[in-house]
Structures are given as C-alpha cells and as structure tokens.
Amino acid sequence: MFQKENLKGADISIDFCGYKLQSPYILSSGPLTYGAEGMIKGHQAGCGAVVTKTIRRAAAVNPVHHMGTVNQDSLINCEKWADSDREEWYTKEIPEAVKAGCIVIASVGHTLIEAQENVKEVEKAGAHMIELVSYTEDTLLPMLDYTKANVKIPVICKLSGNWPDPVGTAARCLEHGADGICAIDSIGPTLKIDIEKARPEMMSGDGFGWMTGGAMRPIAMRINAQIAGNHPDLTNLYASGGVMSADHAIEYMMAGAMGAGICTVGILKGVEHVEKMCYDLSNRLKELGYNSIREVNRAALPNFPKKEHVSKLDFSFVPFKEDGKKKCISCGKCETVCCYDARTLAFPEMRVDPDRCRYCGLCLDVCPTGALTAELAPQTEEDLTLEEVSRKFNESVN
Ligand SMILES: Cc1cc2nc3c(=O)[nH]c(=O)nc-3n(C[C@H](O)[C@H](O)[C@H](O)COP(=O)(O)O)c2cc1C
C-alpha cells in the first residue's frame, strides 16, 4: 500500500481541478476501473484519482477475444464501455469508491442524450469530477455545454489523437468551459493478425482494435506539448498514452501535463506497480533537481528549438567508473545501430570516423550505461541549415 511517508525525494502531490491528489497518476478509464474494487486497488497503490470505466445507457457486451499484446509494452483492444448497468455505478460502484477515499472521475460517453441521462446522476452519486468522452468533436462539445450547465463538479474533456485536430479541439473545449483536458485516448483503428489462425486477433465487427501503451506515447506527448504551449495558464491537463515508468511521467510533465494517466502499465504489471512508480517518481525528480511537480511542469517547453539546429555532436566516452569498474560493458549496441559504420569499439578505446558519422545521435540512445554521451556542438557559419540547403537546391533546379 502506498504511504506518502515513504517518499524519499520530491513531493509528488498535485492540485488538479481544485482537488489535492496524492500523486499525479490517474488510473485511466479501462478494465482496471471496472468497478469500485478495481478503483480502490488503484487508490491504495498510490493513484491520485481514478476514472470509472465509461458509463453509457446500456451495459456493454464485449466480443471474445478483445485484448492482446502488440509488443512488450503495447496492447490492442476492442473492449467497449462499462459492462455493468449505469444504476449500479450510481448506487454502488461510485459511492463505495468515494467512501474508500478515492478521488473519483466519472467517465460519461458517448452521446449528448447519454450525457443528459448520466451526468447529474454521477454527481449525485458522489463523483468528484466528470470526464466526457465521445467519438467526434461535434458530439463532445454539445455534451460539454449540457454538462457545464447542469452540474457543479469540474468537467474534463478526453480528446482523441485520431481526430483531425485534437489541439484545436482542446482550445474549443476550453472556450466552452471545460475545467480540464485529458490527451489522448487510444490510437486506431489498428490491426493484429494471428498468424497461426490466419485471422485478426481482435474479434470486433471488423477485426480492428485500438492501440495503447508505449507505442502511442510519442504521439500523445506531441499533442500534450502543443496543447500546453498554446495555453500557458492551463494546469488541469493530464496526459494519457504510454506512461510505463516514472521517467515517462516526468517527460509528460516537462512537456506541460500536470497529471499522468495510466492504464496499459497497470494491466501488464498489475496495478500494485503504481506504488513503485510513486517512489521512483519522487526519487527521480529529486535527482534531476526538482522539489515538486509544480517545478518540473512545463520545464521543457522553453527549450524547444526555434529553428533547425545543424552542427555536430561532441562525443564523450567514459570507459571506467570512478571506482575503476567498467562503465562501458562492451555490448556493442553503439556499433550495431550505426548505419554508416562510423563507430568502432576496441575497449577501452572508442573511435568515431568523422568522415562517416552523420551525427544522428542513435548510438547515444542505445548505450545502456551512459558511458557514451554527447553535447550539441554550437552551430557555426559553415553549417548549412535545411532552409539554406533547400534554397540552394531550389535555385539549382529552377
Ligand atoms: C482494454 C482497454 C479498455 C479501455 N476502455 C476505455 C473506456 O472505456 N473509456 C475510455 O475513455 N478509455 C478507455 N481506454 C483508454 C485508456 O483510458 C487510455 O486512454 C489509453 O489506454 C492510453 O493510456 P495507456 O497507454 O496508459 O494505456 C481503454 C484502454 C484499454 C487498454
């Protein structure tokens, strides 16, 4: 069970939509929040808030099978919304979770008529916030207008990265009075073929499913950064998509999100794993020099390049640690990934052929121990930017 007293580093609590959350991890709407029991487990593991499985007019009947792996840290699913009746959410699941101390966000989907049926009821049941989710922006905005006019609790809009302009949708939701934004929902439609059976693995109506986990993180990261960048005062933004570790949560915070939704990591590692992610987050923030999430929030936004940086990398290679033990473990990954055969490791020597190296930087990312690092060399007069290259190219072909 998560205990705040066991945190050794930075404070990991956040203020979100007027509530103090014990951690920035928000257990996203999904199979782990099928009912009070799952939500309470999430709360006990350290989640700052829990989002109910999406409540709709009628309970879902799911196809079999409806969840599978895409790779080690990503899933495909064609699971529908909550498979229990909405009355059960009002009378049992939400009140029980609230009573146990969870900050409960009721997920309501997917149409205006369903928002009209559900939002006042979930507020009465004790939900602290509402998260609206829909298939299109055209449906989400009327749901938001109705909800804002009829409930007092904060309303979050969950955006989809599959929509043409989720960053624009965020702006419109905020104009319509949304108190918070969640970006983003699962990516898709996507497909996985079971090669033993020569058929799609997902047994949805069309064989397609929705992808979650690590594979979607860079898409969600970009959308969160753009939303945060466009709304300097927005603090009630929480990211959803591929938070598999504390470091991923910090990435999102630096890109402008205050909270970090989690679903796939809890499915693959058990929701209890969130407890470790809380302690890791506290320690890692401290190591990086931050005392709180407030401090790290938006830290990367001023550092986005204003224009293309064209120069070289100044590599450093440290074969041994201070205690004399090997820092470079001679795994050879830096050599393997070099497409240009520029790098040769003859431990404890590391050579780079400057005529072959294109300074792509991949060797740095794959070094598992940090023995190989680099700084950006300053851009000099001789370094041509892409714009200059394009101008010269255009001049030569015109
Ligand atoms: C099996 C499964 C079921 C899901 N069901 C819902 C749902 O009912 N409502 C919803 O808003 N999001 C649903 N999601 C999406 C998650 O809330 C979350 O946005 C998404 O999984 C991305 O986060 P992750 O990479 O941490 O999993 C579901 C995800 C999974 C994997």
Side-chain angles (χ1 to χ4, degrees), residues 13 46 65 77 90 103 107 116 125 130 137-138 148 186 197 199 205 263 286 293-294 302 338 353 357 369 382:
S13 65
H65 87 229
N77 85 87
Y90 314 150
I103 299 283
S107 168
Q116 289 164 343
I130 289 173
E137 176 185 329
D138 290 351
K148 281 302 292 178
S186 328
K197 301 189 175 94
R199 63 153 171 80
C263 182
K286 195 76 182 174
I293 288 169
R294 256 275 173 217
C338 183
D353 181 340
C357 181
T369 65
E382 292 118 59

Side-chain angles (χ1 to χ4, degrees), residues 9 17 22 27 34 58-59 64 68 77 93 110 122 132-135 137 157 215 234 269 273-274 293 306 365 378:
C17 285
Q22 61 179 347
L27 191 59
Y34 61 88
V64 175
N77 85 87
E93 312 300 353
H110 284 154
V122 295
L132 297 173
V133 57
S134 188
Y135 295 121
E137 176 185 329
C157 288
L234 177 63
K269 296 198 169 174
H273 182 69
V274 176
I293 288 169
K306 307 288 175 292
D365 255 20

Side-chain angles (χ1 to χ4, degrees), residues 39-285:
M39 294 192 280
I40 294 167
K41 267 166 81 178
H43 166 70
Q44 290 175 342
C47 290
V50 295
V51 190
T52 68
K53 182 80 187 156
T54 298
I55 303 165
R56 297 198 65 182
R57 173 177 277 185
V61 178
N62 282 306
V64 175
H65 87 229
H66 61 254
M67 258 202 262
T69 55
V70 171
N71 60 35
Q72 277 185 341
D73 71 353
S74 306
L75 296 175
I76 185 168
N77 85 87
C78 58
E79 182 176 286
K80 297 178 185 167
W81 52 96
D83 60 4
S84 45
D85 289 331
R86 58 198 172 101
E87 284 77 17
E88 207 170 311
W89 286 94
Y90 314 150
T91 56
K92 178 176 178 288
E93 312 300 353
I94 295 175
E96 275 183 15
V98 171
K99 196 165 164 227
C102 304
I103 299 283
V104 175
I105 305 175
S107 168
V108 174
H110 284 154
T111 61
L112 175 59
I113 194 160
E114 288 170 296
Q116 289 164 343
E117 287 168 349
N118 283 317
V119 292
K120 284 188 266 184
E121 300 300 328
V122 295
E123 182 181 46
K124 260 194 265 163
H128 299 89
M129 306 173 222
I130 289 173
E131 181 171 282
L132 297 173
V133 57
S134 188
Y135 295 121
T136 65
E137 176 185 329
D138 290 351
T139 322
L140 185 65
L141 291 178
M143 288 170 74
L144 173 60
D145 292 340
Y146 175 84
T147 307
K148 281 302 292 178
N150 286 280
V151 303
K152 293 197 177 61
I153 55 179
V155 182
I156 299 163
C157 288
K158 185 170 189 179
L159 309 180
S160 168
N162 309 310
W163 296 347
D165 176 23
V167 179
T169 308
R172 288 181 282 280
C173 289
L174 293 168
E175 275 163 27
H176 282 244
D179 300 281
I181 298 287
C182 166
I184 56 177
D185 210 333
S186 328
I187 291 286
T190 59
L191 175 63
K192 180 183 180 188
I193 298 288
D194 179 333
I195 60 169
E196 297 284 338
K197 301 189 175 94
R199 63 153 171 80
E201 189 170 296
M202 293 298 101
M203 286 287 104
S204 52
D206 52 13
F208 300 154
W210 304 92
M211 189 182 65
T212 63
M216 68 174 283
R217 189 172 57 251
I219 301 172
M221 192 71 68
R222 185 268 302 170
I223 293 171
N224 274 271
Q226 282 187 304
I227 294 172
N230 289 352
H231 302 279
D233 299 327
L234 177 63
T235 52
N236 297 327
L237 170 65
Y238 89 88
S240 167
V243 175
M244 309 303 288
S245 68
D247 278 17
H248 297 152
I250 295 174
E251 260 195 75
Y252 272 119
M253 286 158 193
M254 288 186 164
M258 188 64 81
I262 48 172
C263 182
T264 298
V265 70
I267 297 172
L268 289 174
K269 296 198 169 174
V271 75
E272 296 76 11
H273 182 69
V274 176
E275 185 181 347
K276 177 176 183 308
M277 288 172 66
C278 287
Y279 303 137
D280 287 352
L281 178 61
S282 174
N283 294 338
R284 196 76 170 110
L285 284 172

